[in-house]
Amino acid sequence: MTQVFEPLGKRVLYFYQVLGEMTILMGKIVYFIREAPRNIPSILTQMAIIGWDTLPVASVMAFFVGMVLALQTGVELQKYGGQNIIGAIVGHSMVRELGPVMTSFLVAGRCGSAMAAELGVMTVYEEIDALKTLDIDPVRYLAMPRFIACVICVPALVLYSDLIGIIGGALISNLHPQIFVSYATYYDSLTAALKMKEIGIGLTKSMAFGGIIALVCCYVGFATSGGARGIGQSTTRSVVLSFMLILVADYVLTRLLM
């Protein structure tokens, strides 16, 4: 029994250690946000990487997610003569759940992994130690700009993805012969069901998800060790942990905001 519980105890201790270190990192990031005006170039660079460079992939993802959502729900609703509400279903699904979660997954996989790998390389090759030697705090110089960029860019990408997904749903609803809902009917259903509160819920979630991605990837990058193999493991770990925490946070925020 001792051999069984000993590894479990070590894992529990490791979990609390990671939780504590991430909390400390988050506190430092919040503290250094006051230095943001001095780091505008770095923040803008990260915003271009996270936001602008992600737009093509986000467009394809959101467009086809909206199309698939409209196709599956439209065909089923047509059996009961309820296809006229397809605009409301697509709008609600994209704005409240699919838009924030899928876009955050995309940012975590595309930008978060690169973020963790970049910081991991700097840690392994002692560039982080060099910054400390020059009296430059790595959290202020590296983590804080990435955190602010994620918190700003993820909600913007979510709004864009919502719009593209709704457009994709409208095209399928109108062009599919088995569904055939006019654009006017689709728009009326969408606007009648979708309120500013729903958009606000989606943006609140996306801001939280953006913060989670930046925090996790920066922490994993700073904690990297073990050379090239460690960098690869950190990249994978950052994406997996980001996905898990996004899903947990999605449930918690959904419960709180209902």
Side-chain angles (χ1 to χ4, degrees), residues 54-67 160 164:
T54 308
L55 281 179
V57 185
S59 301
V60 175
M61 178 204 70
F63 188 69
F64 282 97
V65 166
M67 291 174 67
Y160 175 78
I164 298 298

Side-chain angles (χ1 to χ4, degrees), residues 235-248:
T235 303
T236 304
R237 190 181 301 118
S238 66
V239 175
V240 173
L241 187 56
S242 295
F243 283 8
M244 292 173 62
L245 290 181
I246 285 170
L247 292 173
V248 172

Side-chain angles (χ1 to χ4, degrees), residues 38 69 71 102 105 111 113 125 138 159-160 169 204 232 244 256:
R38 297 172 52 190
L69 184 61
L71 181 62
M102 296 298 292
F105 279 0
C111 304
S113 59
Y125 293 103
L159 281 177
Y160 175 78
T204 301
M244 292 173 62
L256 292 175

Side-chain angles (χ1 to χ4, degrees), residues 83-98:
Q83 66 267 34
N84 289 342
I85 64 170
I86 190 172
I89 294 175
V90 173
H92 267 287
S93 301
M94 288 300 303
V95 169
R96 297 194 63 158
E97 285 299 325
L98 291 178

